[in-house]
Amino acid sequence: MTPLLLSHLLAALVALPLGGYQLFRPTKGDPRHVLLGRVWAGLMLWVAITSYWIRDIREGDLSLLHILSTVTLVTLTLGVVQARRGNIAAHRGLMRGSWLGLCGAFVGAVAVPDRVIPTFVVTRPLDALVVVLLLVGLTIALIRAGSLLTREPDPTAGGRPVVHR
């Protein structure tokens, strides 16, 4: 596995649960949502851009999955623009669509037996379990770091940090 493919895979596998966390957490628009959203968007950009150099499905040619990469680049860009313009409904729909596209790409990656993920899971199940646990830990660490980094002092609490929930 090349370093490019590995970085693509790891970014996608972290973006998947992080995007789900963002989508389903009850509080939106707070500093943690913004920070973790930027991390998620960066991961998604990396996944989409690196995919153009991963051409093993059609032996050197672009495949139909690259259409999804192009759509992801467009929806992520539009989603950020809409959030900055205050059009939260459009932002929500575009980001939800990007995350659902990632879910679809994940299903496609694990459904084809000759691809990297299914082969790894079948040939090295204990290593696969360790990778899953590490990815879950990394995602939890990102979420926790987001909560620690977005604490703001509360003037009514004597300057102590307050976490937005």
Side-chain angles (χ1 to χ4, degrees):
M1 180 180 310
T2 67
L4 180 71
L5 181 58
L6 182 62
S7 70
H8 171 87
L9 180 62
L10 291 175
L13 289 174
V14 172
L16 192 64
L18 184 59
Y21 171 78
Q22 282 288 85
L23 188 63
F24 295 109
R25 69 185 287 255
T27 305
K28 306 281 195 293
D30 63 336
R32 185 185 331 174
H33 177 82
V34 173
L35 176 65
L36 292 177
R38 288 177 178 165
V39 170
W40 180 78
L43 290 167
M44 290 293 290
L45 285 172
W46 181 257
V47 170
I49 290 168
T50 57
S51 75
Y52 292 105
W53 285 271
I54 301 170
R55 299 179 182 192
D56 58 341
I57 293 175
R58 295 189 62 218
E59 297 181 27
D61 293 330
L62 295 174
S63 69
L64 292 176
L65 285 176
H66 293 99
I67 294 172
L68 180 60
S69 297
T70 304
V71 170
T72 298
L73 291 171
V74 171
T75 58
L76 279 173
T77 303
L78 290 174
V80 170
V81 167
Q82 293 305 321
R84 290 185 178 264
R85 289 183 176 167
N87 188 347
I88 301 308
H91 167 76
R92 184 182 305 118
L94 289 160
M95 293 310 191
R96 184 178 294 148
S98 294
W99 184 74
L100 290 172
L102 177 62
C103 291
F106 176 75
V107 168
V110 298
V112 179
D114 291 341
R115 306 273 324 252
V116 171
I117 293 174
T119 302
F120 181 66
V121 170
V122 169
T123 60
R124 299 171 65 185
L126 290 177
D127 290 342
L129 178 61
V130 169
V131 169
V132 167
L133 294 174
L134 288 172
L135 288 169
V136 167
L138 177 58
T139 304
I140 291 170
L142 281 171
I143 292 167
R144 184 71 185 130
S147 101
L148 292 173
L149 291 171
T150 56
R151 291 181 179 194
E152 297 176 3
D154 181 2
T156 64
R160 289 178 300 202
V162 172
V163 179
H164 295 278
R165 294 180 195 256

